[in-house]
Amino acid sequence: MIDFDVIVVGGGPAGTMAAHAAASGGAKTLILEKDRDIGYPVRCGEAVSDQGLRQFVEPQPEWIAATITKIRMRSPNNTAIDFESKMAGYVLHRRIFDYALANRASQAGAEIQTRAYVDGLVIENDTVKGVKYQYMGENRTLSAKLVIAADGVESRVGRMAGLRTATKLYDMESAYQATVGNIDIDQEMIDFYIGENWAPGGYLWVFPKGNRMANIGLGVVGTKAKDYNSHDLIHNFIKTYYPKATMLTSVCGGVPVAQTLKHITANGIMLTGDAARMVNPVSGGGIISGMHAGKIAGEVSIEALKTGDYSTNGLEAYPRRWRKAGGKNHEALHRISDSIKDITDDQLNKIAAKLEKVPQKDRSLLKIFTTVATQKPKILLDVTRAFTGF
Amino acid sequence: MAGIKFEIMTSGSCENQFRYLKGLIMILVKDNRCDFCGTCVAVCPVDAIELREADIAILDNCIDCDICVWVCPIEVLYSDKEEEVKHD
């Protein structure tokens, strides 16, 4: 007797989307979440685009901390360039949002267990057949026809299945974020600080969170994290630029800005979201890509349950459909992020000085990139590809 | 040195303590300061870090490459090599 059709490891957006799709298709589904709560701690800047979110769920007012209509980018010398954003975006309350997605999965029939730490897989004949986990100090084992690993940046479940998930230092952002109160900022604007002096090999963000609050965070590329500590950088930034702000929460975390793993399936298992390295390598955003891939993984699990083929071959639709849906774009973005890493502070200041002269209404994304391209000609090719869809 | 011994007791297995006492390699964890974010786990090339919500352990297959020490956003991990330099 097999306990579950599908066991999803991880109760973030990727895991709960996968569980929702699997349960909706009639699969007996269980989500195992290692933390006490779904949605907490929030290791995330919490910004998403309206368009991205709307593909999967109708945005609900209770999830939304702030609605974004403006984007500001700052150069290393603090020249501010403002863009009107045609598409609205949101800064979410992930705590509430993740709960809502988990609730949605449970209403489709999925079971959820929190405080369940997966520490091993049941593997027979080179095929994943279940999970081993600890619950309140007790060791438990459950069998499953399929396991979906949505265990986030750590991505240990994939490793247990023999997949290579270890991320190179230069593909990892070492990040720190404080949620602060008593701050006077434009609550409709997200603010990016780009350059080595703000965040070496990454960027610093100030995202509004409603009620005079904000998420202020930054990421430092792993190869520079030895010399620059994201915790100290963010504390100094807040002290210098928002001395009246009070810190309500702080979290640290890693943002994998890597290429998606070469293999995201093995016999009996699919990897999704951060665990599969699906974060947008330019923006560091992983909510939408995780939801998208999670949904696909859930749908593919239903098809596999029908055929009874849980081998890598039987699951081949997952990587294929992910590549079509987001993977190809992801590859282009990774190339762009590689090129951006080489742009010096001096070049960024020159770009900002040029953009400052362009009237705000004409500051389209394409204009930014053409300006960037005059400074860094070699990335023009990739940018063109990204915008024309090859 | 007492502090280091205490940390080995809490963050390593018996075998790891043995390796440490023999002068072999080891990464250590500052007690009560880890935020359990998992970044070090993601970059570890040999899967030698295990993280639960309230417990982080460096496992016996650690090769002392230090990249987890570098990537940690809050400098909770440290290498015993650095510690010895400080004490010298």
Side-chain angles (χ1 to χ4, degrees):
Chain A
M1 179 70 197
I2 294 169
D3 298 314
F4 285 91
D5 293 326
V6 178
I7 291 180
V8 179
V9 184
T16 49
M17 284 298 290
H20 177 266
S24 300
K28 190 170 186 247
T29 306
L30 171 70
I31 300 172
L32 295 174
E33 164 58 48
K34 82 171 156 65
D35 288 337
R36 190 181 58 183
D37 276 318
I38 296 272
Y40 189 81
V42 180
R43 300 194 197 281
C44 182
E46 305 182 280
V48 286
S49 72
D50 173 70
Q51 188 198 26
L53 195 57
R54 219 171 265 282
Q55 296 173 71
F56 311 108
V57 282
E58 180 70 25
Q60 299 297 311
E62 64 268 25
W63 309 342
I64 294 165
T67 302
I68 304 305
T69 58
K70 285 169 269 180
I71 300 168
R72 175 171 286 176
M73 304 249 187
R74 297 180 199 245
S75 66
N77 63 11
N78 210 0
T79 306
I81 307 291
D82 289 350
F83 303 92
E84 298 289 330
S85 167
K86 284 201 186 100
M87 287 172 294
Y90 308 108
V91 177
L92 297 172
H93 291 297
R94 277 289 302 275
R95 229 179 150 145
I96 302 170
F97 175 71
D98 285 25
Y99 249 85
L101 288 187
N103 185 23
R104 180 170 168 270
S106 73
Q107 287 182 21
E111 293 175 45
I112 301 175
Q113 174 135 53
T114 59
R115 300 175 185 262
Y117 176 74
V118 172
D119 60 355
L121 292 172
V122 181
I123 299 178
E124 289 165 18
N125 301 325
D126 203 25
T127 301
V128 176
K129 299 273 191 185
V131 300
K132 297 174 188 169
Y133 68 103
Q134 294 177 16
Y135 175 72
M136 310 281 274
E138 188 188 308
N139 291 316
R140 297 184 176 184
T141 302
L142 286 173
S143 57
K145 292 173 184 164
L146 269 170
V147 171
I148 296 177
D151 56 328
V153 65
E154 297 169 42
S155 195
R156 283 197 88 217
V157 176
R159 292 197 201 194
M160 292 166 195
L163 295 170
R164 293 179 62 91
T165 69
T167 296
K168 299 279 185 228
L169 259 188
Y170 55 79
D171 275 336
M172 180 64 73
E173 294 281 329
S174 176
Y176 192 89
Q177 174 176 275
T179 301
V180 300
N182 194 30
I183 185 170
D184 287 311
I185 53 164
D186 184 338
Q187 286 286 338
E188 289 188 9
M189 184 176 77
I190 49 176
D191 202 351
F192 297 95
Y193 294 72
I194 300 156
E196 296 286 301
N197 57 329
W198 308 114
Y203 67 81
L204 184 151
W205 64 87
V206 179
F207 293 168
K209 234 176 141 204
N211 282 331
R212 302 183 64 229
M213 294 189 290
N215 283 341
I216 304 184
L218 62 79
V220 175
V221 67
T223 43
K224 291 183 180 171
K226 190 182 177 189
D227 303 315
Y228 300 93
N229 180 261
S230 50
H231 168 268
D232 296 346
L233 286 168
I234 210 71
H235 278 262
N236 288 338
F237 175 83
I238 292 171
K239 219 185 281 170
T240 312
Y241 293 92
Y242 297 105
K244 285 183 187 160
T246 50
M247 215 170 278
L248 303 171
T249 329
S250 60
V251 286
C252 64
V255 185
V257 286
Q259 256 177 299
T260 300
L261 300 178
K262 207 168 164 194
H263 300 289
I264 55 174
T265 58
N267 297 333
I269 188 168
M270 290 181 266
L271 271 59
T272 190
D274 283 20
R277 313 303 181 214
M278 288 165 172
V279 168
N280 176 329
V282 175
S283 69
I287 300 173
I288 301 301
S289 56
M291 289 174 78
H292 204 156
K295 182 166 182 256
I296 297 171
E299 289 165 357
V300 169
S301 69
I302 294 300
E303 289 159 26
L305 287 167
K306 281 182 193 144
T307 63
D309 184 356
Y310 311 117
S311 70
T312 310
N313 262 343
L315 301 173
E316 65 78 35
Y318 174 50
R320 180 165 46 81
R321 284 168 57 190
W322 159 250
R323 191 175 145 74
K324 204 175 162 199
K328 258 175 111 174
N329 190 37
H330 183 279
E331 286 163 22
L333 288 167
H334 188 262
R335 283 198 297 273
I336 293 174
S337 93
D338 260 2
S339 320
I340 293 173
K341 276 177 187 162
D342 299 336
I343 302 181
T344 64
D345 277 11
D346 191 42
Q347 284 169 317
L348 282 171
N349 287 332
K350 279 184 191 156
I351 292 165
K354 279 191 184 171
L355 282 173
E356 216 181 5
K357 291 180 195 131
V358 179
Q360 191 169 326
K361 64 176 173 47
D362 298 333
R363 285 177 199 158
S364 65
L365 209 51
L366 198 60
K367 182 76 194 169
I368 305 175
F369 278 111
T370 45
T371 311
V372 173
T374 58
Q375 295 292 324
K376 294 286 293 179
K378 72 168 184 165
I379 80 164
L380 190 59
L381 190 66
D382 276 334
V383 172
T384 316
R385 278 191 191 138
F387 279 90
T388 57
F390 311 96
Chain B
M1 291 301 281
I4 299 173
K5 274 182 192 157
F6 174 70
E7 272 148 356
I8 297 161
M9 299 299 284
T10 56
S11 70
S13 65
C14 288
E15 198 178 318
N16 239 344
Q17 291 173 42
F18 184 64
R19 271 149 54 100
Y20 178 77
L21 292 173
K22 277 173 70 182
L24 294 175
I25 51 183
M26 180 108 174
I27 302 293
L28 303 163
V29 185
K30 287 176 191 163
D31 280 322
N32 304 322
R33 278 194 49 193
C34 178
D35 201 35
F36 313 110
C37 73
T39 311
C40 56
V41 179
V43 297
C44 177
V46 292
D47 198 16
I49 306 178
E50 192 164 275
L51 180 69
R52 294 129 203 241
E53 189 52 16
D55 179 30
I56 174 170
I58 310 297
L59 308 182
D60 303 338
N61 56 326
C62 171
I63 53 170
D64 206 24
C65 66
D66 279 4
I67 71 171
C68 58
V69 176
W70 302 338
V71 84
C72 177
I74 52 176
E75 292 178 342
V76 166
L77 297 169
Y78 65 102
S79 162
D80 61 345
K81 298 185 293 293
E82 288 172 29
E83 196 66 18
E84 273 163 19
V85 171
K86 273 182 212 161
H87 282 278
D88 278 346

